[in-house]
């Protein structure tokens, strides 16, 4: 493997782990109001946190590979702004 490709792979893994940690932080910040609202136990809260973080961390890189194989980025770049425009015009529910 070329050196440039190795650094690209290391960068992708590092970025995916950073995003996973950031997402886990957001879930952790949302948990106290959820615990108060639903009166959950600490054991259930830790189960929710791990049940969210582990699949996200494990699946983030294979999902990126899947997106790369089917070339959905051009479709997203066209469909995203089109849907947003329809929502602004009131043609789709918010």
């Amino acid at each position: 493997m070329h050196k440039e490709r190795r650094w690209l792979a290391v960068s992708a893994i590092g970025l995916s782990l950073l995003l996973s940690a950031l997402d886990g932080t957001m879930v952790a910040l949302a948990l106290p109001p959820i615990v108060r609202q639903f009166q959950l136990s600490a054991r259930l809260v830790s189960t929710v946190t791990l049940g969210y973080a582990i699949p996200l961390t494990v699946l983030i890189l294979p999902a990126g590979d899947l997106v790369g194989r089917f070339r959905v980025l051009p479709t997203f770049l066209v469909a995203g702004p089109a849907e947003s425009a329809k929502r602004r015009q009131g043609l789709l529910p918010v």
Side-chain angles (χ1 to χ4, degrees), residues 20 24 27-28 31 42-58:
S20 178
V27 170
L31 279 178
R43 183 176 180 187
L44 186 58
V45 170
S46 65
T47 303
V48 167
T49 305
L50 288 174
Y52 181 78
I54 291 173
L56 179 71
T57 304
V58 169

Side-chain angles (χ1 to χ4, degrees), residues 57-87:
T57 304
V58 169
L59 295 176
I60 196 165
L61 283 177
D65 182 46
L66 189 64
V67 166
R69 287 185 188 193
F70 292 108
R71 307 277 185 220
V72 296
L73 182 61
T75 305
F76 173 75
L77 290 176
V78 171
E83 182 179 343
S84 177
K86 287 180 185 177
R87 287 187 193 277

